Amino acid sequence: MLGESMLPRVATWNMEWATPKSRRTPEILERLEQAGAEVVCLTETHCDLLAGRGYSISSPADYGYPITEGRRKVMLWSREPWEDIDDAGSGLMPPGRFVSGVTRTSMGVIRVVGVCIPWSGCRTEARRGSARRVRWEDHEQYLACLPGVLKGLDAGSLVVMGDFNQVIGSGCRAPIRLRSALQQAFPTGMRIATPDLEFQGRKSIDHIAVSDDMAVESLGVISNLHEGKKLSDHFGVFADLSIRNRG
């Protein structure tokens, strides 16, 4: 599907529920093609958005809201098939916001985790058949579960990416305890590579974290602007990676 990068590239972008029939989709697909990533995480997407291109796995349809056909909170795409797939993470997590799998890239086999950490107002509206959450409750619960999920994965090259729903550093509006919880969600040696990425004066809430056996060679953004309009309310981010020389 996608074009070529000089180094193995991973990317993540929130689609703001674009479908295969959305008017903005052809340009979105062109931007993804130009990005040249080997592995892509799309959030707030449609399960058929990348149909016929590579291999996709996704979270379950139920993410705690009325189910709309085809919607998925998180989907992973790769040029190569996926193995060892997990679309739950933990039964204690807010539902439908996690998917993980193992795929082969030009730098070897890696484990990829796609996340869509709940936003501050997730499920705070009164809904029939479900308890009403308080602000940040689902976000905090997700972050409380994530460390155990990540520590339970087999050791090896690991990339965690998606919509973290937090700006990192200055400008973050999350409570201090949740800023710390996000940083502490990752095992020792993992680091969030994208805290300083911004576009048009706006810092990213979409992030990429990598294990310490990988070096981040370069970072960049995917513009969400086209002919004066937004393709999404998020811009995309990407990272060029390499395996560190242990010698």
Side-chain angles (χ1 to χ4, degrees), residues 171-191:
C172 183
R173 297 180 180 180
I176 292 176
R177 72 181 189 281
L178 298 183
R179 301 179 207 177
S180 297
L182 178 59
Q183 298 290 342
Q184 295 167 6
F186 299 97
T188 301
M190 282 203 81
R191 65 202 183 282

Side-chain angles (χ1 to χ4, degrees), residues 23-100:
R23 295 180 65 180
R24 53 199 167 105
T25 294
E27 184 60 30
I28 285 173
L29 295 179
E30 177 64 23
R31 299 286 170 93
L32 289 171
E33 184 81 28
Q34 293 172 355
E38 294 187 30
V39 183
V40 176
C41 177
L42 299 182
T43 56
E44 293 191 344
T45 189
H46 190 283
C47 61
D48 292 330
L49 193 68
L50 301 179
R53 302 171 171 88
Y55 302 87
S56 297
I57 57 175
S58 64
S59 57
D62 180 9
Y63 59 96
Y65 286 80
I67 296 175
T68 301
E69 184 177 359
R71 281 191 173 190
R72 296 293 187 275
K73 268 293 182 178
V74 58
M75 180 170 72
L76 292 175
W77 176 92
S78 175
R79 295 177 181 175
E80 301 295 332
W82 293 96
E83 298 178 354
D84 196 16
I85 299 163
D86 175 12
D87 67 358
S90 164
L92 298 177
M93 279 179 159
R97 299 168 179 272
F98 178 97
V99 67
S100 173

Side-chain angles (χ1 to χ4, degrees), residues 146-246:
L146 190 57
V149 173
L150 297 181
K151 288 179 182 177
L153 297 176
D154 292 337
S157 300
L158 175 63
V159 175
V160 180
M161 57 181 172
D163 187 346
F164 287 18
N165 265 307
Q166 279 197 43
V167 164
I168 296 173
S170 62
C172 183
R173 297 180 180 180
I176 292 176
R177 72 181 189 281
L178 298 183
R179 301 179 207 177
S180 297
L182 178 59
Q183 298 290 342
Q184 295 167 6
F186 299 97
T188 301
M190 282 203 81
R191 65 202 183 282
I192 300 174
T194 49
D196 300 320
L197 281 182
E198 61 178 64
F199 179 68
Q200 301 263 306
R202 177 185 172 193
K203 293 186 72 173
S204 182
I205 62 173
D206 301 87
H207 294 289
I208 299 168
V210 298
S211 54
D212 61 2
D213 64 322
M214 288 183 281
V216 178
E217 303 291 350
S218 61
L219 297 166
V221 303
I222 304 171
S223 170
N224 62 336
L225 301 179
H226 178 61
E227 296 180 347
K229 296 182 180 180
K230 289 185 177 181
L231 298 169
S232 167
D233 55 354
H234 294 232
F235 56 91
V237 302
F238 64 80
D240 293 326
L241 308 176
S242 65
I243 296 295
R244 292 184 187 275
N245 186 346
R246 297 295 188 182

